[in-house]
Amino acid sequence: FVGGVYGFVGVLRALTSGVHVEPALLFTSSGFWYQFFLATMTAGWESLFFFGFLMNAVQEEYRLPEAVAVVAATILFIVFHAPLRIMLEGASPLAASQLALLGIFAAGQAILFLRTKSIFSVTLSHALWGMVLVIYGSR
């Protein structure tokens, strides 16, 4: 949000100063919007499954504390993503560090869901994470 405000103010200042503002070419790329669509769909389904369904089921069915539900959701998230990481990177330190980062992300998502009770906030956060990885994480 803060970045958006800075960007908006910067564009307004440039326009009022007579400076020509070029649109970001990234947003005119059909590839960007395709990746954005995929990131949003993936984020939506994963958020619904891991946090809206599994974490809620674990917490409500077994009457577990929030911390245990967060750990359970995080472990399930890592187990789900591990095969792809290992297929792409092999059983390497890189795969282990990527899974550790995914674990931190999953724990953050679980906490966000518990605090907001909104699958939308978790989906938006997940989609933005995915887009950052697509834009800055390509080899």
Side-chain angles (χ1 to χ4, degrees):
F1 172 76
V2 172
V5 169
Y6 278 126
F8 181 72
V9 169
V11 167
L12 283 181
R13 185 177 183 300
L15 291 174
T16 58
S17 300
V19 175
H20 178 69
V21 177
E22 290 288 328
L25 295 178
L26 177 67
F27 300 120
T28 61
S29 164
S30 62
F32 171 83
W33 292 107
Y34 175 72
Q35 291 296 327
F36 179 76
F37 174 77
L38 289 179
T40 304
M41 292 297 106
T42 301
W45 288 111
E46 283 190 5
S47 297
L48 277 172
F49 180 69
F50 287 107
F51 309 111
F53 174 68
L54 284 178
M55 190 173 71
N56 271 339
V58 165
Q59 189 179 16
E60 291 174 10
E61 182 70 27
Y62 299 105
R63 303 282 184 231
L64 298 174
E66 284 185 349
V68 176
V70 168
V71 169
T74 300
I75 290 170
L76 292 170
F77 195 85
I78 291 171
V79 167
F80 179 81
H81 288 86
L84 179 60
R85 291 292 94 213
I86 292 170
M87 281 179 13
L88 292 175
E89 306 299 339
S92 67
L94 179 59
S97 65
Q98 290 173 345
L99 290 173
L101 186 59
L102 275 171
I104 293 167
F105 172 72
Q109 292 290 90
I111 292 167
L112 178 65
F113 180 72
L114 287 172
R115 294 297 169 255
T116 63
K117 300 293 183 203
S118 168
I119 205 70
F120 177 75
S121 64
V122 177
T123 299
L124 181 61
S125 169
H126 192 146
L128 291 174
W129 162 273
M131 288 308 297
V132 166
L133 293 179
V134 165
I135 293 170
Y136 296 108
S138 60
R139 296 182 195 199

